[in-house]
């Protein structure tokens, strides 16, 4: 698909471009609100699935496409492609993605989870947590969501939450990631890295660490950052260690446009925390985990896709302008 075709889907007609939307419920004062018909994807949408969650969607052709995290009934973590006309009802391929590569070292797919999809120039890049002697960041590109060309892993193990920027920064590809360990990591800051060629990554910069409350234990980038006049709008997850285990919520930050490792603002309160049945009850209770957002530049509407309780896929809404204002007005002190 050409750049023009992609832009046709992300800017233009002023009618919301078919993005999912539901007005803020009456009486709701929150800056982010849930879709009333959540979850949009049940755990058993395809026969092999134990659960379908933490997934990424993008505009594609006249509709939408996505890469879905499917934990199968063997409890292996797989990635599946899917298509949709309205970005709510999804037709998910029952067979996992088979990545193509000429590099034998990359060929044996161990496991993959928490995908993100990012349009840059003329193709979609997929990043995911890729099993290679421990979790690291896998990278591939596609133009049709049928053939996926795998590139080199971006980093050494152990790393998670690789999220690319939708344009080059200072002439280089740019990615956020969260160095971690082999297990249920009890720490984690977000780092920024650049690459001239998507093979060699460097210029690593510390971007943001943990603070208190909902983001006291570890944090990780969520959807692809959204470029705004006030900076990159980054939605990210944060983890609190309760006496009953980890609690995953999400908030937002604004990053400097040309030096994105400089955090201008970040929310002290969360935007969304696990509170509904489908967020509090499932294979891993008390998890909301955002991996994608669809933005309409004309209406300012934002549709945020997140996993609920490591089991189902859910949708929430916001206005980009309100999110920016909220982030600025409810920020913890940053170092900038
Ligand atoms: C993280 C990732 C996510 C998951 C979360 C809660 O480490 O594995 O995929 O949603 O834990 O279990």
């Amino acid at each position: 698909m050409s750049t023009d075709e992609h832009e046709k889907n992300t800017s233009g007609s002023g009618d919301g471009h078919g993005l999912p939307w539901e007005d803020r419920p009456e009486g709701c004062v929150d800056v982010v609100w849930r879709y009333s018909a959540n979850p949009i994807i049940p755990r058993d949408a395809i026969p092999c699935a134990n659960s379908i969650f933490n997934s990424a969607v993008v505009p594609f052709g006249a509709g939408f496409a996505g890469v879905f995290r499917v934990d199968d009934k063997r409890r292996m973590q797989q990635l599946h492609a899917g298509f949709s006309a309205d970005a709510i009802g999804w037709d998910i391929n029952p067979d996992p993605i088979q990545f193509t590569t000429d590099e034998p070292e990359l060929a044996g797919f161990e496991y993959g989870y928490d995908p993100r999809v990012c349009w840059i120039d003329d193709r979609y890049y997929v990043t995911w947590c890729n099993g290679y002697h421990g979790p690291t960041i896998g990278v591939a590109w596609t133009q049709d969501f049928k053939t996926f060309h795998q590139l080199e892993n971006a980093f050494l193990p152990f790393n998670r939450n690789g999220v690319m920027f939708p344009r080059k920064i200072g002439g280089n590809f740019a990615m956020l990631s969260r160095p971690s360990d082999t297990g249920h990591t009890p720490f984690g800051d977000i780092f920024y890295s650049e690459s001239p060629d998507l093979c060699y990554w460097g210029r690593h910069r510390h971007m943001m660490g943990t603070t208190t409350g909902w983001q006291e234990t570890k944090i990780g980038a969520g959807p692809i950052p959204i470029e705004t006049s006030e900076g990159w709008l980054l939605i990210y997850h944060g983890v609190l260690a309760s006496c009953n285990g980890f609690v995953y919520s999400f908030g937002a930050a604004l990053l400097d446009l040309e030096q994105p490792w400089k955090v201008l603002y970040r929310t002290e309160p969360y935007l969304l925390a696990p509170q509904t049945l489908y967020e509090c009850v499932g294979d891993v209770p008390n998890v909301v985990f955002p991996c994608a957002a669809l933005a309409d530049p004309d209406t300012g509407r934002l549709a945020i896709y997140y996993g609920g309780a490591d089991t189902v896929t859910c949708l929430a809404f916001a206005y980009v302008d309100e999110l920016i204002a909220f982030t600025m007005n409810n920020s913890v002190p940053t170092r900038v």
Side-chain angles (χ1 to χ4, degrees), residues 53-54 69 77 113-114 160-161 178 183-185 218 237 248 284 287 289 310:
F53 57 108
N54 301 5
R69 170 173 178 174
Q77 296 147 334
Y113 59 81
D114 299 353
R160 294 184 173 92
N161 298 301
R178 212 279 305 286
H184 303 296
T185 315
K218 54 181 171 175
H237 71 258
Y248 283 70
V284 181
V287 180
F289 196 97
D310 282 13

Side-chain angles (χ1 to χ4, degrees), residues 67-317:
V67 176
F68 297 84
R69 170 173 178 174
V70 176
D71 287 11
D72 67 22
K73 285 174 177 161
R74 300 170 300 167
R75 298 307 301 263
M76 303 301 285
Q77 296 147 334
Q78 304 286 329
L79 300 174
H80 290 233
F83 299 91
S84 175
D86 63 3
I88 296 178
W90 285 91
D91 183 14
I92 299 174
N93 190 331
D95 299 316
I97 293 171
Q98 305 287 336
F99 291 95
T100 61
T101 170
D102 294 332
E103 174 51 62
E105 252 322 275
L106 296 173
F109 183 86
E110 272 183 53
Y111 57 80
Y113 59 81
D114 299 353
R116 274 67 164 193
V117 181
C118 186
W119 171 266
I120 308 173
D121 295 339
D122 64 350
R123 63 195 65 193
Y124 297 94
Y125 290 93
V126 185
T127 52
W128 70 95
C129 180
N130 188 36
Y132 181 77
H133 305 276
T136 183
I137 308 301
V139 186
W141 63 266
T142 184
Q143 286 174 314
D144 57 9
F145 287 86
K146 289 181 182 145
T147 307
F148 292 80
H149 307 267
Q150 190 167 351
L151 306 175
E152 292 292 331
N153 291 322
F155 305 115
L156 293 170
F158 309 105
N159 205 318
R160 294 184 173 92
N161 298 301
V163 176
M164 292 186 74
F165 283 77
R167 67 165 170 84
K168 290 180 178 172
I169 309 281
N172 289 323
F173 292 99
M175 198 194 297
L176 302 174
S177 73
R178 212 279 305 286
S180 56
D181 66 14
T182 48
H184 303 296
T185 315
F187 62 88
D189 294 357
I190 301 176
F191 286 77
Y192 168 93
S193 307
E194 291 186 357
S195 171
D197 56 5
L198 290 171
C199 181
Y200 299 100
W201 290 86
R203 286 173 55 85
H204 308 296
R205 301 283 180 270
H206 182 267
M207 195 190 95
M208 158 163 115
T210 55
T211 59
T212 55
W214 67 272
Q215 45 187 331
E216 68 177 13
T217 302
K218 54 181 171 175
I219 56 174
I224 304 306
I226 299 163
E227 189 163 11
T228 79
S229 54
E230 303 302 323
W232 293 103
L233 177 62
L234 175 73
I235 295 170
Y236 66 97
H237 71 258
V239 178
L240 169 149
S242 81
C243 62
N244 198 35
F246 286 156
V247 177
Y248 283 70
S249 306
F250 68 78
L254 280 166
L255 318 176
D256 184 85
L257 281 178
E258 296 314 319
Q259 297 181 307
W261 59 93
K262 294 189 174 165
V263 179
L264 308 175
Y265 302 93
R266 62 188 287 192
T267 53
E268 188 164 28
Y270 58 70
L271 295 171
L272 198 90
Q275 288 169 1
T276 66
L277 198 61
Y278 53 84
E279 296 162 350
C280 297
V281 177
D283 285 355
V284 181
N286 305 319
V287 180
V288 295
F289 196 97
C291 287
L294 297 173
D296 174 32
D298 288 347
T299 60
R301 292 172 173 180
L302 189 67
I304 303 165
Y305 289 77
Y306 67 98
D310 282 13
T311 305
V312 294
T313 303
C314 308
L315 197 46
F317 302 109

